[in-house]
Amino acid sequence: MSTNVMSPMHPVSDLSAHTGFLMRMVSNAVSQGFAGKLAGQDVTLAEWVMLRALYGGKPLPPSLLARKMGMTKGAISKLADRLLDKGLIARTDNPNDKRAHSLSLTHEGIAKVPALARLADESDAAFFIGLSDADHAALRGLLHKLINAHALTTAPVE
Amino acid sequence: MSTNVMSPMHPVSDLSAHTGFLMRMVSNAVSQGFAGKLAGQDVTLAEWVMLRALYGGKPLPPSLLARKMGMTKGAISKLADRLLDKGLIARTDNPNDKRAHSLSLTHEGIAKVPALARLADESDAAFFIGLSDADHAALRGLLHKLINAHALTTAPVE
DNA sequence: TCACATTGGTTGACATGGAAACTAGATAGG
DNA sequence: CCTATCTAGTTTCCATGTCAACCAATGTGA
């Protein structure tokens, strides 16, 4: 124990007083619901995000994926291994740098994305169906404000 | 927008088209920021939630905590072990049922909560400071709507 | 009362991510 | 060139959660 910078007594507010807490509650519920649907396709949330990140674009090096997905390079390395085992992505050596390589979708991976995208659409629609169009739009607007305010650029995977 | 590759089965929308995705992004950022502050007090997010759940109330059995916190009883069991080791909570045998017991805060645990609560307040305020009061209130309202719509039970039941 | 189902908790096998050590291949400076 | 330093990725260790098997105490019904 270092500096016992002890705070004077502080009122202990309820957990639900924190918007961040509410946020986490709702976010976890959405993610769990979606993860459940993905599980039926033998895909995890993180795997879906990586597959989506590789879909319709050029092959990407793990380092870039790590930044895009907000994960460490170690995590990306293992995640890529799993997708490689499942035959959904492939590695391509970089001819200019023998340390590096790029990741891309296999035919099987490409074929799988649309089905997963449909699940994502359905899952999202189902969860937010309780909101009116106006509410839904408002929510998205607020989230974007926060994303901009904090310059969030990564795709969390929890 | 989504370009080049044809959609065999389903149009592949962008990740950020999903409100659930935006929620994860923001929620993740809030939680990480708060977790960082908590780490300075040698407390994890899960530990904080349990400490807060036990603060100012009667001792609670692990089963109830599991429901309140949205975790499995196995996770609660281990989490309780950690807090026990840290001396922040204590177990009390249930005289009516020898299988059961209750968890409560120790003096040390009680003493620690207000400081953590202040961190929670500060962290939350800092994150949402970019929103106007009206926006903030609107966001909370929308989150509550979703929580109600899905009967997210990470709450009470006394 | 006794065999059996149920329930409160714990434990062990996995899964998965972060941090940091480590490896191999690039690069810069002298 | 040669060595010191970077850099891309991998691997190891650790933390933490889920799931399922398991243990012990309770409850139940004939």
Side-chain angles (χ1 to χ4, degrees):
Chain A
M1 12 214 83
S2 41
T3 48
N4 256 345
V5 194
M6 242 341 46
S7 38
M9 238 341 189
H10 186 83
V12 178
S13 46
D14 197 78
L15 279 174
S16 60
H18 301 119
T19 307
F21 179 80
L22 301 178
M23 198 101 217
R24 205 153 57 78
M25 249 173 98
V26 174
S27 166
N28 285 346
V30 189
S31 296
Q32 280 178 32
F34 183 32
K37 291 199 180 188
L38 282 176
Q41 305 282 317
D42 289 306
V43 170
T44 67
L45 210 46
E47 286 169 6
W48 153 245
V49 174
M50 183 178 279
L51 291 175
R52 182 61 191 81
L54 292 174
Y55 186 81
K58 283 186 273 199
L60 300 178
S63 48
L64 182 56
L65 280 170
R67 271 193 304 151
K68 279 184 82 133
M69 298 178 57
M71 291 171 68
T72 62
K73 50 192 189 156
I76 292 293
S77 182
K78 294 174 231 175
L79 180 51
D81 277 347
R82 275 172 255 144
L83 286 171
L84 227 24
D85 284 347
K86 292 186 181 181
L88 298 177
I89 68 173
R91 283 200 173 103
T92 310
D93 286 341
N94 180 332
N96 304 318
D97 185 337
K98 285 178 183 167
R99 295 168 301 179
H101 64 249
S102 291
L103 299 170
S104 54
L105 296 181
T106 59
H107 291 305
E108 197 183 338
I110 293 172
K112 195 153 197 170
V113 167
L116 299 176
R118 167 202 277 286
L119 283 185
D121 290 346
E122 288 173 355
S123 184
D124 206 65
F127 191 89
F128 294 98
I129 193 150
L131 297 185
S132 67
D133 286 356
D135 277 354
H136 195 166
L139 176 58
R140 292 179 60 85
L142 291 166
L143 292 173
H144 276 300
K145 272 192 194 177
L146 290 167
I147 287 169
N148 291 332
H150 294 275
L152 304 181
T153 58
T154 65
V157 167
E158 205 150 331
Chain B
M1 12 189 115
S2 235
T3 79
N4 32 38
V5 182
M6 308 167 310
S7 24
M9 306 173 52
H10 188 83
V12 177
S13 47
D14 197 78
L15 279 174
S16 61
H18 301 119
T19 307
F21 177 82
L22 300 178
M23 294 234 38
R24 281 212 301 287
M25 229 167 122
V26 175
S27 163
N28 212 50
V30 189
S31 297
Q32 278 183 20
F34 183 32
K37 291 198 180 188
L38 283 176
Q41 305 282 316
D42 289 306
V43 170
T44 67
L45 209 49
E47 286 170 6
W48 153 247
V49 174
M50 182 177 280
L51 291 175
R52 181 60 191 82
L54 292 174
Y55 185 81
K58 284 185 270 202
L60 299 178
S63 49
L64 183 56
L65 279 170
R67 270 197 304 154
K68 279 183 85 132
M69 298 178 59
M71 292 172 67
T72 63
K73 49 188 190 161
I76 292 294
S77 183
K78 293 171 201 171
L79 179 52
D81 278 346
R82 273 173 256 145
L83 287 172
L84 228 24
D85 284 346
K86 292 187 181 181
L88 298 177
I89 68 173
R91 283 202 172 100
T92 310
D93 286 342
N94 180 332
N96 305 317
D97 186 336
K98 288 179 179 166
R99 292 168 301 182
H101 64 249
S102 291
L103 298 170
S104 55
L105 296 181
T106 59
H107 291 305
E108 197 183 338
I110 293 172
K112 195 153 197 171
V113 168
L116 299 176
R118 191 177 59 158
L119 283 186
D121 290 345
E122 288 173 356
S123 185
D124 207 64
F127 191 89
F128 294 99
I129 193 150
L131 297 185
S132 67
D133 286 356
D135 276 355
H136 195 168
L139 176 57
R140 293 180 58 84
L142 291 166
L143 292 173
H144 276 301
K145 271 191 193 178
L146 289 167
I147 287 169
N148 292 331
H150 292 275
L152 301 186
T153 96
T154 306
V157 194
E158 262 70 1

